[in-house]
Amino acid sequence: MIKKIKLIDNKIFKDFFVYGLGTVLTKSIAFVSLPIYTRVFVPEVYGELEFFLIVGSLFAALLNIGLDSSLSFFFKVGGSFDDKKTTTVSSIFVISIVWGILLFIGCGIILNSLDINFEVKKLYLFIILIYSIETLINFLLNILRLETKSKTYTFYQISNGLLSNFLSLTFILFWETSIEKLLLGRLISSIIIFFPLLKTNINFFDFKKISWNSIKLILLFAIPLFPASFFDFIFNYTDRLLIEYNMNYEQLGIFSAGARLSLIVSLITSSFTLAILPHLLEAIDQNKNKFINDLQNNFFWIADFLILIFFIFSELMCFLLLGENFRSVFVILGFYIVHPIYSSCYSLVSVGIWKYKKTYLSTIIMFGSCIVNVFLTIFFIKLFGLIGVAIATAISSLLWIYLTINISENLYKTGIN
């Protein structure tokens, strides 16, 4: 038994290194491209771009409807399928395509009814297509992750980041400095990456395995998580909408640049959670509480150390990376970094909710945290401006994780402090 646990630990360390390397390289691409974007676009245009991306994130949340969590659960743990991996992958793929087509038609009808010019409609169309394809790409990448094929996962992760940023930067630097050309580069990149990634996972597709029972089980698990995904969107993007409403596109651009910089710095914790999820699911299935608790403890000391370092060096980062127009970003970074770092630990602290399939509890917790976030943001933005928005997000994130830990521990004890 000791030998077996040691092998698992070594595998996690190997995966953490590979995922970490891949994430570092991918984020490094964004790390290089972000200073270019903040120098090519003034804060007002960058804020307008962020507004389009918010719409894309909303579309992705509607398209996902909790299917990413269903993939993880049924692929590794649950289900009474004869071939759970093939049945799970094939069923979710078909659900995604059918639901995506219906959603695309609905969005087209809405766009056609809006009194906006053709150029803006074209940008929204780009956004819908981009996020549709990227949702399928993430689905295929998650299969590789659940199979612990960390090297293949990392290869496609890096390739996607390189190609997307290369095409977008090439188009805006040598063709036309516009949001449309940036989005066009991202769209073309997604199309190019999708097909070889689909071929890599083709062994998991067998549409004869699909049945009404498999679709029903997957949807019954996923749909209660859909409101949680929607509330997650509200949690992440209401602050941007309130900034645009109470201030302007320029302040939205400054805040968005800071938010993206903080996501880059959270790469270590996200790499850790990517590496441990397949092993965590197996530990849940086998009731290895000590193993789960060790993972939890390791995450939190890494996370707290990163937050402290970020508070200390945020001003220097902004000065070196974002340029003069975005230099004031540093005032929000120390507080905002709490959200991306702590949100990456959700799977670690919601073990009981997953184990007993009480996914509706995630929706309730997220809804409550969203309400707190919205009210705090409305109150603090009037008192403190952008830094008030960051503080509201930090407080709400801590509340979300704290409530999740307590409710999950009441269902299934892991020993988390």
Side-chain angles (χ1 to χ4, degrees), residues 97-118:
I97 294 296
V98 173
W99 174 234
I101 291 172
L102 293 174
L103 202 57
F104 185 84
I105 293 171
C107 289
I109 294 171
I110 293 172
L111 279 176
N112 191 54
S113 66
L114 295 177
D115 185 22
I116 53 178
N117 63 53
F118 176 74

Side-chain angles (χ1 to χ4, degrees), residues 140 156 193-205:
L140 296 170
Y156 280 110
I193 290 294
F194 173 74
F195 289 102
L197 186 55
L198 178 63
K199 185 178 179 181
T200 300
N201 289 292
I202 200 68
N203 291 334
F204 290 104
F205 288 87

Side-chain angles (χ1 to χ4, degrees), residues 93-325:
F93 185 79
V94 168
I95 293 169
S96 299
I97 294 296
V98 173
W99 174 234
I101 291 172
L102 293 174
L103 202 57
F104 185 84
I105 293 171
C107 289
I109 294 171
I110 293 172
L111 279 176
N112 191 54
S113 66
L114 295 177
D115 185 22
I116 53 178
N117 63 53
F118 176 74
E119 292 300 320
V120 175
K121 288 182 179 179
K122 185 164 64 173
L123 291 177
Y124 280 119
L125 181 61
F126 277 169
I127 284 292
I128 291 170
L129 289 173
I130 288 167
Y131 279 85
S132 296
I133 299 170
E134 287 184 352
T135 298
L136 292 175
I137 288 173
N138 289 331
F139 165 69
L140 296 170
L141 282 173
N142 281 334
I143 297 171
L144 296 174
R145 176 171 54 83
L146 292 167
E147 280 288 280
T148 64
K149 294 182 178 179
S150 54
K151 293 180 181 178
T152 309
Y153 176 98
T154 301
F155 169 77
Y156 280 110
Q157 183 189 35
I158 294 172
S159 299
N160 192 29
L162 274 174
L163 187 59
S164 177
N165 283 277
F166 173 76
L167 290 178
S168 294
L169 287 172
T170 300
F171 288 174
I172 65 173
L173 292 176
F174 300 104
W175 185 358
E176 179 182 86
T177 305
S178 67
I179 294 174
E180 178 187 336
K181 297 304 181 287
L182 186 150
L183 294 178
L184 180 61
R186 185 167 166 177
L187 174 61
I188 294 172
S189 168
S190 299
I191 294 170
I192 293 172
I193 290 294
F194 173 74
F195 289 102
L197 186 55
L198 178 63
K199 185 178 179 181
T200 300
N201 289 292
I202 200 68
N203 291 334
F204 290 104
F205 288 87
D206 184 354
F207 298 112
K208 294 179 182 178
K209 301 279 188 182
I210 301 174
S211 66
W212 171 244
N213 183 57
S214 66
I215 291 175
K216 183 175 69 174
L217 285 174
I218 288 168
L219 288 177
L220 285 174
F221 185 91
I223 289 175
L225 289 170
F226 167 62
S229 299
F230 182 70
F231 295 140
D232 183 60
F233 166 82
I234 295 175
F235 194 104
N236 283 290
Y237 296 106
T238 298
D239 49 10
R240 273 82 153 180
L241 296 174
L242 287 170
I243 290 169
E244 194 277 329
Y245 178 77
N246 287 279
M247 304 173 91
N248 50 46
Y249 273 137
E250 181 179 357
Q251 293 301 305
L252 175 59
I254 290 172
F255 185 87
S256 301
R260 294 195 182 282
L261 185 58
S262 68
L263 288 174
I264 292 172
V265 179
S266 67
L267 59 91
I268 296 179
T269 51
S270 61
S271 301
F272 182 80
T273 52
L274 277 174
I276 61 95
L277 183 58
H279 309 283
L280 175 65
L281 290 169
E282 290 178 1
I284 294 172
D285 190 40
Q286 299 170 20
N287 296 315
K288 295 181 178 178
N289 293 9
K290 176 64 169 61
F291 179 74
I292 294 171
N293 187 243
D294 288 341
L295 294 177
Q296 293 167 337
N297 291 335
N298 284 323
F299 173 87
F300 281 108
W301 77 259
I302 293 172
D304 294 340
F305 178 75
L306 279 177
I307 291 170
L308 180 62
I309 292 297
F310 203 69
F311 258 104
I312 295 171
F313 294 105
S314 59
E315 185 173 3
L316 179 61
M317 290 179 187
C318 292
F319 174 74
L320 294 175
L321 296 174
L322 299 182
E324 190 61 33
N325 288 335

